[in-house]
Amino acid sequence: MIIQNLTVRFGDFTAVDDVTLEIPDGRVVGLVGESGSGKSSLARAVCGLVPYTGSIEGVRRVQMVFQDPYASLNPRMTVGDTVAEGIRGRDRDSEVKRLLDLVRLPAEVAGRYPRELSGGQRQRVAIARALGGDPGLLVADEITSALDVSVQGAVLNLVRGLRDELGLPMLFISHNLAVVRYVADVVAVMHQGRLVEVGPAEQVVGEPAHDYTRALLAAVPRLRG
Amino acid sequence: MSLRWSGPAVAGAVIVALMAALAVAGPIVWGEAAERIDAGAILQGASAEHPLGTDNLGRDLLARVLVAGRFSLALALAATLIGAAAGIVLGTLPSVLPKRGARLATGTVNALVAFPGLLLAMFTAVVTGLGARGAVLGIGAAIAPGFARLTQTLAASVAGADYVSAARMLGVPRRRILSRHVLPNIAEPLILNLTQALGGALLGLAGMSFLGLGVQPPSFDWGRLLFDGFSRIYVTPEVALGPAAAVALAGIGFNLLGDALARAAARTTVRKMDEPPAPPPEPGEPDPGAVLDVRDLTVTFPGGSTPVRGLSLAVAPGEVVGLVGESGSGKSLTAAAVGGLVPYPGKVTYGRLHLGGRDVAELSDKELGTALAMVFQDPLAALNPALKIGGQLAEVAVVHEGATRAAARRRAVDRLGQVHLPEPERRAAQHPHELSGGMRQRAVIAMGLMGTPRLIVADEPTTALDVTVQRQILRLLREVVAETGAATLFISHDIAVVGELCDRVVVMYAGRVVEELPADRLADGAAHPYSRALIASLPDLDTDRTRPLAGIPGTQPAPDQVGPGCAFAPRCSLATERCVTQRPELVAHGPLQRVACWEVS
Ligand SMILES: Nc1ncnc2c1ncn2[C@@H]1O[C@H](COP(=O)(O)OP(=O)(O)OP(=O)(O)O)[C@@H](O)[C@H]1O
Ligand code: SF4
Ligand SMILES: [Mg+2]
């Protein structure tokens, strides 16, 4: 699929400024940038959730996993009902179980309500729900920023598994360059609504061409006292 | 929702219960007395026989007031239900109609809300015919716009929620989105509003009858009795007193109860536990210097779930302590317990829970509110979307310290500047949604600084923010801590951020502390197998992309399934027989470090 000359405006503020980005079949494109750089606005436009100008071609169903696991689940619906929302004409219960299993949640959480889950558990429910919609493109907006490192690894492995097995293309958004470098084939760097650098992951991280990319690299936290 | 039985709430409930009893029993008990005509006792004032006097047919007015309760309340109920039904339908139209129709519906609601309620009521009553029916429809019409506006506002806020977006993307039909997502999430405030509207309808109907637009003889409600009595008010004022008091009492009762219910709904947590801390485990010596001193803190939920298990923790003045651990390890509940915010029906017990040297159970809400500042993961939840930032901050100082509005406002702007929010004056005049995520988080921190907190508890305040903003916010917290001598408990699942920016790190697993150490030792000095595995599973810029990321196999046991031994044993590569059956205590491991592991200590 390809995003062409996409612009998103809120009033007289331009959140996304003339972005052109290709997401090749079966590839994960990582989008990095600081908060307010327009990553989420771009994601929402691709999902048809905000008005935009420009074009998005070559994709049918887009599903999104949201950043905030506290706001993305209906507090009055059980986990099972939430995950089942996108399931069409398949055996509901076994499908819910399969989806929960994919995101490493035990089947018994299906009967629980979001308030009974911790933040990380909720986010996994949201991922399961999106996968249930059988997406042609998955937009993942900061999906690991609320996850534990011990689980983050598994989810990132899962993300790559989905790409490898299902050929599921993905727009993977994160502020964590180390994470993006690991899952993405292509990395796009966004700054003030524009793409300042796009290239193969290793290249963008190894030989950054733009000052802003270098600044982002320097900001990656390191465990050295 | 937990109702706090304050004076007004009790009074409201009692009055409403009395009114209900009156509506049921009134006509049965006093029905006959109310209709008994006595030609010898026409238009009397108060007497022993007729405490409120009699009317122009000599009927006892006290009996008539008591009997009129049923009719008055029934009419009020009918008017409220009609108004609410009409209002809710009108209010949901904008979310179901296509764009054009939606705009029309919104415009209609706006126009109706602007129209004076009484005029609307009188107009409707006159058009639909004098009498009870006209009055009910009139009051219903007066109530409807308010409900429509409320429904519309509530529905709009839910319609913008991520879960509605998700449902839309999954192709869930509009109708179903309305019935499954929108209505259930707005039902509670609407029902609460009903109670208050009922009180209003009662007053309104009495007003209509009083104006002669309502109930016509021989039927009578309180308003009608008031109307009849009013002409005699200079001669025998007591005849008007009875119905007036009844209307006022009922109106006040419903309003008080509605208010109490609304408050209870807004506060979904319970502060203090009603039972004393069960068997207080010997707490040991209190740490006199610590700002926060927690000993054997346990949080349980009914059904054997114990997410926090005998946790002990101390934070010194000027210290920034990072609390890390995986999702569900009990970090947030630990924070909630410190602030007395564990959600119902959770139970908190502890050997000691001291804030600034005093037991938190002894602190008043107000003292706790000033001594402790809590910053949560979701800054939007901490800010009221309808109010300006400056006003919300000022409110804190007004409520907690009785500051004047002007002084509180100046301090609000000052604090916004202190948290490095650019243009604090302008920001203070903006609404929360006009600020970016990082700015909102700063505003929430500024809110915590309106008082003089001894302890700042920040629960994942930076999860959704990028590293640059995380750094700024942590630096800010550090500055505050250095300036005020306060302490910070910083909760995060991001061990890298915590390791870089905190003084000391406390690692939690399955409700317990498993390791405590200075942050700069984290990379090389972490001793507990869980801490070490966590650090190993952090991807960095040199991680091999061709291999699966390291993680920790298995999952953390659920809070109702923690066994007797080391909770990490099923996932630990060093586990032995002993680990499964006996739990290792947290013991010193060199200077400044404590570890709970058999194989390490
Ligand atoms: N209201 C509740 N009722 C029942 N169980 C609850 C409730 N709140 C939390 N829990 C359970 O308590 C455990 C600890 O939850 P808590 O929110 O403290 O985790 P956490 O460490 O903050 O996790 P996260 O990093 O995901 O925010 C979880 O297993 C959760 O399911
Ligand atoms: S006590 Fe045993 S199971 Fe627990 S962490 Fe240490 S070695 Fe592993
Ligand atoms: Mg938490």
Side-chain angles (χ1 to χ4, degrees):
Chain A
M1 70 159 293
I2 183 156
I3 300 166
Q4 255 166 344
N5 306 104
L6 187 117
T7 297
V8 178
R9 284 198 184 85
F10 300 110
D12 52 12
F13 175 72
T14 305
V16 179
D17 192 0
D18 195 29
V19 164
T20 295
L21 180 64
E22 190 186 355
I23 303 176
D25 255 358
R27 295 276 144 164
V28 177
V29 172
L31 186 62
V32 289
E34 66 194 52
S35 68
S37 62
K39 305 187 298 291
S40 292
S41 303
L42 175 59
R44 284 175 177 267
V46 171
C47 296
L49 294 174
V50 293
Y52 59 88
T53 58
S55 70
I56 296 167
E57 282 155 21
V59 66
R60 305 161 293 119
R61 258 193 302 270
V62 183
Q63 296 301 336
M64 176 159 172
V65 181
F66 294 85
Q67 183 167 340
D68 179 358
Y70 289 86
S72 66
L73 302 181
N74 182 344
R76 316 257 162 184
M77 271 165 72
T78 61
V79 167
D81 285 342
T82 294
V83 172
E85 268 198 314
I87 300 175
R88 299 273 177 273
R90 282 163 277 166
D91 176 20
R92 200 198 97 124
D93 288 350
S94 66
E95 184 65 8
V96 166
K97 190 168 173 318
R98 183 185 73 87
L99 292 167
L100 289 177
D101 196 48
L102 266 181
V103 295
R104 297 181 73 186
L105 284 173
E108 67 256 23
V109 302
R112 297 222 246 158
Y113 283 91
R115 64 171 177 277
E116 299 167 55
L117 304 183
S118 66
Q121 292 166 326
R122 293 178 197 216
Q123 190 60 303
R124 282 179 264 170
V125 172
I127 298 173
R129 169 180 60 192
L131 293 176
D134 191 17
L137 170 75
L138 190 67
V139 176
D141 189 2
E142 298 278 8
I143 57 168
T144 60
S145 56
L147 296 183
D148 311 300
V149 271
S150 77
V151 180
Q152 171 176 275
V155 171
L156 295 179
N157 292 338
L158 170 71
V159 163
R160 301 216 317 184
L162 293 172
R163 179 200 62 183
D164 294 344
E165 289 155 33
L166 315 174
L168 180 62
M170 212 172 303
L171 181 62
F172 185 96
I173 300 173
S174 173
H175 62 259
N176 187 333
L177 250 178
V179 165
V180 167
R181 168 189 166 274
Y182 181 76
V183 300
D185 305 297
V186 174
V187 172
V189 183
M190 199 160 179
H191 182 48
Q192 293 177 352
R194 294 174 161 275
L195 290 186
V196 295
E197 183 166 358
V198 182
E202 285 296 8
Q203 183 190 318
V204 171
V205 171
E207 305 143 44
H210 197 277
D211 280 347
Y212 179 69
T213 313
R214 278 191 281 274
L216 277 184
L217 280 165
V220 174
R222 273 161 236 258
L223 275 184
R224 300 287 159 215
Chain B
M1 167 167 111
S2 66
L3 198 55
R4 191 179 300 181
W5 290 107
S6 59
V10 173
V14 168
I15 294 173
V16 169
L18 279 179
M19 289 297 157
L22 185 65
V24 174
I28 303 173
V29 180
W30 295 286
E32 207 186 317
E35 298 297 342
R36 194 183 305 130
I37 296 173
D38 183 353
I42 287 172
L43 294 176
Q44 282 183 351
S47 66
E49 206 182 327
H50 304 293
L52 290 179
T54 59
D55 68 1
N56 55 359
L57 292 175
R59 292 174 294 202
D60 180 55
L61 278 173
L62 177 60
R64 287 177 77 73
V65 168
L66 293 172
V67 169
R70 180 187 286 183
F71 197 38
S72 304
L73 292 168
L75 291 182
L77 191 64
T80 309
L81 291 180
I82 289 171
I88 290 169
V89 169
L90 202 56
T92 29
L93 281 181
S95 20
V96 282
L97 290 179
K99 242 196 190 116
R100 265 271 217 39
R103 217 173 292 144
L104 188 69
T106 310
T108 312
V109 171
N110 287 343
L112 286 177
V113 167
F115 205 72
L118 189 62
L119 276 184
L120 201 60
M122 285 167 58
F123 178 73
T124 314
V126 168
V127 169
T128 52
L130 291 187
R133 196 182 49 158
V136 165
L137 288 176
I139 296 299
I143 290 175
F147 264 98
R149 167 61 68 79
L150 182 67
T151 308
Q152 197 183 316
T153 318
L154 291 170
S157 75
V158 173
D162 283 348
Y163 52 81
V164 172
S165 303
R168 279 219 299 269
M169 279 187 283
L170 289 167
V172 178
R174 260 180 124 91
R175 221 170 351 91
R176 194 133 145 193
I177 288 183
L178 192 68
S179 67
R180 290 187 88 177
H181 291 285
V182 180
L183 289 178
N185 283 299
I186 66 174
E188 195 171 306
L190 284 177
I191 290 169
L192 294 175
N193 204 46
L194 268 179
T195 321
Q196 277 164 324
L198 199 58
L202 207 71
L203 295 176
L205 278 164
M208 298 286 277
S209 290
F210 182 70
L211 291 172
L213 290 173
V215 174
Q216 304 295 326
S219 302
F220 58 100
D221 69 341
W222 287 332
R224 186 72 213 178
L225 293 176
L226 193 61
F227 177 72
D228 291 341
F230 201 68
S231 55
R232 297 159 59 196
I233 197 152
Y234 293 112
V235 192
T236 49
E238 60 274 19
V239 299
L241 210 66
V247 168
L249 194 66
I252 291 172
F254 281 108
N255 273 307
L256 286 181
L257 185 66
D259 220 46
L261 288 175
R263 267 170 217 276
R267 187 194 52 238
T268 50
T269 56
V270 277
R271 237 245 321 116
K272 274 155 202 154
M273 297 301 121
D274 36 26
E275 277 172 48
E282 37 60 77
E285 280 305 295
D287 183 343
V291 172
L292 177 69
D293 189 3
V294 181
R295 196 83 209 186
D296 284 313
L297 174 74
T298 296
V299 180
T300 50
F301 284 92
S305 160
T306 311
V308 180
R309 318 181 149 241
L311 174 131
S312 300
L313 181 76
V315 186
E319 202 181 21
V320 179
V321 172
L323 185 60
V324 289
E326 72 190 84
S327 178
S329 58
K331 307 181 296 292
S332 295
L333 283 174
T334 301
V338 170
L341 296 170
V342 170
Y344 183 82
K347 246 192 202 351
V348 179
T349 61
Y350 49 80
R352 181 166 55 240
L353 184 51
H354 281 186
L355 188 59
R358 291 176 60 198
D359 193 324
V360 291
E362 288 165 14
L363 299 175
S364 66
D365 278 13
K366 195 167 151 175
E367 286 173 315
L368 189 64
T370 32
L372 175 70
M374 306 256 308
V375 182
F376 295 104
Q377 182 164 8
D378 177 8
L380 268 185
L383 297 168
N384 184 334
L387 301 177
K388 291 181 179 157
I389 301 280
Q392 297 193 50
L393 262 68
E395 188 70 21
V396 178
V398 172
V399 171
H400 285 300
E401 296 169 22
T404 64
R405 287 249 152 236
R409 214 189 126 80
R410 271 199 306 279
R411 195 186 316 169
V413 173
D414 180 64
R415 294 296 191 269
L416 287 172
Q418 198 184 348
V419 299
H420 304 300
L421 199 67
E423 307 172 85
E425 283 281 355
R426 188 164 80 86
R427 297 299 174 189
Q430 287 184 324
H431 287 95
H433 71 263
E434 296 174 80
L435 272 58
S436 78
M439 288 180 184
R440 281 199 287 259
Q441 202 54 270
R442 280 162 206 248
V444 174
I445 294 175
M447 196 165 185
L449 298 180
M450 286 301 288
T452 38
R454 307 284 309 271
L455 178 70
I456 302 169
V457 175
D459 187 359
E460 310 245 13
T462 54
T463 302
L465 305 174
D466 64 88
V467 199
T468 322
V469 184
Q470 288 187 33
R471 274 214 179 81
Q472 288 167 354
I473 295 217
L474 268 155
R475 199 169 296 136
L476 172 71
L477 284 171
R478 268 194 173 290
E479 265 175 46
V480 171
V481 165
E483 275 169 34
T484 63
T488 295
L489 185 63
F490 184 85
I491 297 174
S492 174
H493 65 268
D494 192 335
I495 199 166
V497 170
V498 163
E500 188 182 282
L501 298 159
C502 294
D503 300 317
R504 204 149 55 82
V505 176
V506 174
V507 183
M508 261 185 101
Y509 188 78
R512 293 184 195 279
V513 173
V514 295
E515 179 158 17
E516 249 185 70
L517 77 171
D520 53 14
R521 303 266 307 275
L522 204 52
D524 307 312
H528 196 281
Y530 173 64
S531 321
R532 296 174 66 92
L534 266 189
I535 293 162
S537 50
L538 267 181
D540 61 22
L541 292 172
D542 310 311
T543 304
D544 185 349
R545 301 178 61 222
T546 59
R547 305 197 20 215
L549 267 182
I552 307 178
T555 49
Q556 180 178 246
D560 54 353
Q561 275 154 15
V562 178
C566 172
F568 190 57
R571 303 170 77 182
C572 180
S573 56
L574 303 179
T576 63
E577 196 80 12
R578 175 168 63 163
C579 302
V580 180
T581 52
Q582 285 174 32
R583 186 166 51 79
E585 290 294 331
L586 190 63
V587 294
H589 181 78
L592 303 175
Q593 187 169 5
R594 302 203 296 161
V595 180
C597 172
W598 291 124
E599 297 304 305
V600 171
S601 45

